[in-house]
């Protein structure tokens, strides 16, 4: 809203419990994937999800998604700047997640990693970032 210089009459501040519900909904929607986030609130008996419907309206979900940022956009380096980071917008979340994974996940001796089920010769920037941080 600040960037656009406008006020959104539909928006109201979010509370901690509502943010937890929003994050939980996203986890559930990642596990039980449907073609559209609106499908979880469908009136169709075989498509809609009563739990999702009871947590939050589709309009509120859309508004939180629209305004959720996990970085300070005011300090974002310019694209051509020397310190530009392609993952700037999610860098803090990645750093926090990696720290928590390292502190809390201790794999045992039997661990298998399946790198790919489908051949792909492209390159992901996130792979290079993680590789440079582990060295």
């Amino acid at each position: 809203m600040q960037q656009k210089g406008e006020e959104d009459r539909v928006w109201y501040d979010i509370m901690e419990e509502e943010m937890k519900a929003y994050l939980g909904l996203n986890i559930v929607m990642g596990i039980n994937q449907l073609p559209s986030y609106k499908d979880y609130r469908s009136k169709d008996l075989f498509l809609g999800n009563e739990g999702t419907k009871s947590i939050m309206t589709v309009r509120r979900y859309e508004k939180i998604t629209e305004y959720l940022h996990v970085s300070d956009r005011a300090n974002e380096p310019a694209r051509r700047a020397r310190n530009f980071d392609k993952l700037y917008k999610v860098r803090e979340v990645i750093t926090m997640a990696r720290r928590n994974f390292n502190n809390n996940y201790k794999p045992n001796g039997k661990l298998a990693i399946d790198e790919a089920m489908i051949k792909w010769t492209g390159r992901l920037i996130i792979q290079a970032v993680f590789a440079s941080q582990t060295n």
Side-chain angles (χ1 to χ4, degrees):
M1 286 183 281
Q2 289 173 341
Q3 287 179 338
K4 294 178 182 178
E6 301 171 0
E7 185 177 326
D8 188 334
R9 295 178 188 262
V10 179
W11 175 256
Y12 55 90
D13 289 345
I14 188 168
M15 305 308 273
E16 183 178 346
E17 289 303 313
E18 189 178 24
M19 189 65 199
K20 287 179 181 178
Y22 173 83
L23 295 173
L25 284 174
N26 279 287
I27 291 169
V28 167
M29 291 190 297
I31 295 168
N32 179 25
Q33 296 181 4
L34 296 176
S36 168
Y37 67 92
K38 291 181 180 181
D39 291 338
Y40 294 92
R41 290 150 183 93
S42 171
K43 292 180 182 178
D44 184 304
L45 178 64
F46 297 103
L47 195 58
N49 180 304
E50 291 303 317
T52 301
K53 287 187 227 179
S54 70
I55 299 293
M56 183 177 297
T57 67
V58 70
R59 184 176 217 179
R60 183 61 173 163
Y61 181 84
E62 289 171 337
K63 284 297 169 186
I64 295 171
T65 302
E66 180 180 353
Y67 292 120
L68 178 65
H69 290 279
V70 293
S71 66
D72 183 357
R73 299 291 307 273
N75 294 323
E76 184 176 358
R79 272 207 177 275
R80 300 190 194 277
R82 189 171 191 207
N83 64 339
F84 177 71
D85 179 5
K86 288 183 180 182
L87 297 174
Y88 174 82
K89 293 178 183 177
V90 292
R91 174 66 57 208
E92 285 189 46
V93 173
I94 291 171
T95 301
M96 181 185 66
R98 290 191 75 204
R99 184 174 42 248
N100 282 316
F101 294 155
N102 286 335
N103 290 339
N104 298 298
Y105 178 64
K106 307 295 182 209
N108 61 25
K110 298 178 182 181
L111 183 66
I113 299 172
D114 183 3
E115 292 184 5
M117 296 292 289
I118 301 169
K119 184 177 180 178
W120 184 64
T121 57
R123 179 182 151 101
L124 294 174
I125 184 64
I126 198 162
Q127 289 174 326
V129 171
F130 282 128
S132 69
Q133 290 180 353
T134 57
N135 293 337

